[in-house]
Amino acid sequence: MADPVNFIIYFSKALNLMTDPELQFLLEQSRRNNMAGNVTGMLLYLEGRFLTNIEGRFMQLLEGPEPEVTKIFNSIKQDDRHDKIILLKQGLLEQRLFDKWSMGFKKIAAGQTGDIPGFFNVDAGFLEQHMRHEQHEVLNFFRSFYTINNEKPFF
């Protein structure tokens, strides 16, 4: 049996809405940093309405060796592309949930994503296709994040 894997899940608010090139740069930067530390996971970026504003929000799961996960998370906390970082949960997993680094976007058109390794569109079928562990506590954070950010505003 494999050793347990450390994980961190956090939520943050983008300081500005992210452009397609900025998101692609973030994907490439994240992949490089995570591969160096044997860290995998998933980063979701969704744009949604909060009261009268459209805001970008991130939710990320980092999984891997504890020192590397902590090092990357500390670096993320210093990143000026977002603020209001909230650590949602940390702990141990029996095995990795995302063997390959993945990143979900809400706003990039499907035609623009075909050549980006590890990329998938976040749409209505996202949860069923990419999260088959229905009762997994860690994945429920992502389900909630996706559902809340896709609800219609009240006014």
Side-chain angles (χ1 to χ4, degrees):
M1 181 177 211
D3 291 333
V5 178
N6 287 277
F7 77 92
I8 288 176
I9 300 174
Y10 75 88
F11 171 85
S12 67
K13 179 185 168 294
L15 288 179
N16 300 296
L17 296 180
M18 303 287 289
T19 66
D20 296 352
E22 288 171 330
L23 289 170
Q24 182 149 355
F25 177 78
L26 178 60
L27 169 64
E28 293 163 0
Q29 181 183 42
S30 298
R31 187 172 283 133
R32 225 181 6 260
N33 293 340
N34 293 345
M35 282 175 57
N38 192 26
V39 172
T40 56
M42 182 169 73
L43 174 63
L44 290 181
Y45 171 77
L46 295 175
E47 291 179 353
R49 183 170 299 282
F50 178 73
L51 300 177
T52 59
N53 299 323
I54 301 293
E55 296 180 347
R57 298 179 182 111
F58 294 100
M59 179 176 277
Q60 185 170 25
L61 164 72
L62 298 167
E63 57 187 4
E66 189 279 328
E68 296 300 324
V69 169
T70 300
K71 177 182 171 186
I72 289 173
F73 183 58
N74 287 335
S75 173
I76 288 168
K77 290 190 288 188
Q78 303 303 313
D79 193 311
D80 61 3
R81 291 174 281 204
H82 63 159
D83 68 356
K84 298 184 179 155
I85 298 170
I86 300 169
L87 177 63
L88 297 172
K89 188 155 182 78
Q90 64 184 28
L92 296 174
L93 297 168
E94 289 182 21
Q95 62 185 18
R96 291 177 191 254
L97 296 172
F98 298 94
D99 293 22
K100 296 182 174 38
W101 175 251
S102 297
M103 188 172 191
F105 298 96
K106 177 67 176 169
K107 64 181 264 199
I108 295 180
Q112 297 174 297
T113 61
D115 296 330
I116 304 173
F119 177 92
F120 57 87
N121 264 321
V122 178
D123 57 19
F126 165 74
L127 296 176
E128 290 77 24
Q129 288 178 334
H130 296 283
M131 295 182 179
R132 296 189 180 110
H133 309 286
E134 193 168 314
Q135 298 301 318
H136 200 287
E137 177 187 19
V138 170
L139 296 179
N140 284 334
F141 280 98
F142 288 98
R143 282 188 187 88
S144 297
F145 177 73
Y146 180 81
T147 301
I148 290 168
N149 284 284
N150 280 298
E151 291 178 355
K152 301 288 183 215
F154 292 110
F155 49 93

